Structures are given as structure tokens and as C-alpha cells.
Amino acid sequence: MTPRASVAGALAMVLLCSSGAVAAEPPDYQTGVQDGQDPSVTVGATLEQQDALLNGTGGDFASDTRYFRATVHYCLLSDLENSVLRTVCDEGTETIATGIDCPDDAFALAGLFAVTLAANGAESAPRLISEGTCVTAADLEAEAERAFQNMPVEPAQIHLEIERDWAIVNFGIHPRTDDTDQVMDTALLGVPVQIRAYPAEFTWDAGDDTTPITTDHPGGRWDSADAINLPYPEPGTFTASLTTTWHGQFRITGTPTWTDIDGELTTTDSTDPIEVHDAEVRLTG
């Protein structure tokens, strides 16, 4: 009997019951106390519901149930015919498999277990809620979009070809920036992910009521094809600004493929005030 074939039979049994003491929970298991759960909801039916149970936010009434994640062990009983699923295999049983196998582009999310808390603080034997899940990027798209909208993105900064606080009419300034991606490591529904913000569009505003310039590149040296010139046709004091539009992608940590995220972010950076002067022509003899 294979571990997969034994799951249905094991679930039909009273799972995870033990005549001895409950095995101690490893310290790195994710745990949480549930404040209550709507009885009309199937426990652990979705990743979102499982995450709510772990964080103690699932339901509307007090509960004596605690939820945690642990690798599922497939345990062959001493009769060598039946198996059960447990957090650990007890003495007298044989471990025939652990966890679940997932494709390279997926994350093996550990099983979800629950224990009942007695009035004296004692815990029941763990019972299985979910065997574990192969989580793909498609399962996390909505969560990734929410996380991207709250991502702390540093503004792309304006750098001037010559760092000074003045310019000449019609010569103006040559600003540029960099197009470095920003990556945030986080977890979505218990799955480690990386969220990447990359600059997709740059809008350069001279601050003098001329039409802003929008590019898909960060600018370059004054003598390059990518040079940005804000010429300032009139004298005065102006503050130039750069608004950067960022697009997002995410991937499950350790996998190679980035998935696009809907939506965009914008950041703005400004120069110090720039004094723009008319050029004076002097003849020397």
C-alpha cells in the first residue's frame, strides 16, 4: 500500500489518536490560537482559511482549538496493513513517507494540524486538517497584488550631470537616475516569496510649466542618445522633479520564474531649487 493510497483509508480512521503521551511539538512549527471559526465554513478548505486559523482570525466565536503546521508523517502500523498520518510516527510504527512531493516551481506547504485545549491547559492528540499543499504562483496572485501595493519602494533619485544649484537659460540641466530593481522578501499565506518592483517609466518635470518629458529609460550622459535635457527657456528659480512608475513581479523563493503583478506604484524625487540665469555676452578686445 503506497502512502497516497493509504490516505483515504487513514482519514476514515480516527486519525492521530495515541494511547501514549502527545509528542512534543518542534519549536519551528508555525502555531497560533484560533479565536473562533464560523461552523458553516469547511475547516482549512482554502489557503486563506488555513492562514486565518493559524493567525487566530478565523471565525466569530471563542474556540479551544489551536492550529499549527508540521510535516505529515505516513506511519505504517504494526499489522503492516494499515497506516495513519501523524506529526511523528510513534514507537511500534514505521515511517514510510514524509511530506508531499511538489514540482520545481511550487512550494510544499506543510500539513495543518489542530489540537484541543482542555480547561487545565492539556492538549489532545493532534488531528489532521490538511495533508499539505503544493502551492503555485497562481495560488498567490491576489495576495501578491495586495503586498505589492504596500511595498516600501525607495524613490529613484535625480542625479545632475553637474551637481550645482544654478543653470543657464536654454542650456538647462541634464538629469538622470538609475533603474535598479527593488526586491522584498516576505511570506504570503505561509509561503516564502520575493516581490520585485522595477522602474517602467520616468517622468521628468522641470517645474517651469513646460511639458514634462516621459521616457522608458533612466537617462544618460549629456552627450549620449539617452540624455535628458530640461532647457529652461526663461530665467527664474525652479525645482525639477522625477516621478517614477514601478511595475511588480513576484516568485516563490528559490524558483526561477517571475510572475507579473497587476497594478503599479509611483514615487517622486526632487532637486533643490535651481537658479536659472540669462547668459551674459561680453566682448573682449
Side-chain angles (χ1 to χ4, degrees):
M1 178 183 297
T2 66
R4 293 295 179 191
S6 69
V7 171
L11 291 176
M13 302 169 61
V14 179
L15 294 178
L16 309 172
C17 293
S18 173
S19 58
V22 177
E25 179 187 324
D28 58 347
Y29 286 166
Q30 302 176 33
T31 63
V33 177
Q34 182 213 15
D35 292 327
Q37 185 200 9
D38 185 340
S40 66
V41 176
T42 301
V43 176
T46 68
L47 291 177
E48 290 80 7
Q49 289 171 349
Q50 291 183 27
D51 194 59
L53 294 174
L54 289 165
N55 293 322
T57 58
D60 302 319
F61 59 90
S63 172
D64 58 358
T65 303
R66 182 175 66 86
Y67 296 87
F68 65 93
R69 288 203 182 279
T71 300
V72 174
H73 288 64
Y74 298 84
C75 309
L76 185 64
L77 299 182
S78 57
D79 60 12
L80 302 181
E81 293 184 0
N82 296 298
S83 63
V84 293
L85 311 181
R86 293 187 171 132
T87 56
V88 294
C89 294
D90 297 334
E91 184 178 354
T93 64
E94 179 183 352
T95 301
I96 53 177
T98 59
I100 56 176
D101 294 325
C102 295
D104 291 341
D105 60 351
F107 179 81
L109 192 63
L112 180 67
F113 292 85
V115 292
T116 301
L117 308 177
N120 62 1
E123 295 183 351
S124 68
R127 64 185 183 277
L128 184 67
I129 303 299
S130 171
E131 180 185 351
T133 307
C134 289
V135 182
T136 67
D139 298 316
L140 303 173
E141 287 181 351
E143 292 292 325
E145 183 176 343
R146 282 189 283 270
F148 177 63
Q149 290 301 319
N150 294 306
M151 181 176 176
V153 176
E154 293 292 327
Q157 296 186 342
I158 296 179
H159 305 291
L160 300 181
E161 183 76 23
I162 302 176
E163 292 290 348
R164 62 191 180 193
D165 60 1
W166 60 272
I168 301 298
V169 166
N170 292 326
F171 286 89
I173 60 174
H174 291 86
R176 62 175 182 258
T177 187
D178 60 64
D179 56 358
T180 304
D181 297 346
Q182 298 185 39
V183 178
M184 177 177 71
D185 292 294
T186 187
L188 303 176
L189 302 179
V191 179
V193 301
Q194 291 182 308
I195 297 178
R196 176 170 69 183
Y198 64 92
E201 188 176 84
F202 306 89
T203 300
W204 313 85
D205 190 339
D208 62 351
D209 295 328
T210 56
T211 302
I213 299 172
T214 298
T215 66
D216 59 2
H217 60 78
R221 282 175 47 90
W222 67 273
D223 56 353
S224 72
D226 288 339
I228 305 297
N229 179 224
L230 304 179
Y232 290 115
E234 300 292 337
T237 301
F238 308 102
T239 299
S241 65
L242 166 63
T243 298
T244 306
T245 300
W246 303 81
H247 291 176
Q249 296 177 316
F250 79 100
R251 67 180 177 185
I252 296 173
T253 301
T255 64
T257 305
W258 291 92
T259 299
D260 290 336
I261 298 174
D262 290 337
E264 61 185 31
L265 302 176
T266 59
T267 60
T268 301
D269 187 48
S270 301
T271 65
D272 292 331
I274 298 171
E275 296 283 346
V276 179
H277 306 281
D278 277 320
E280 296 182 3
V281 178
R282 295 182 180 179
L283 298 178
T284 60

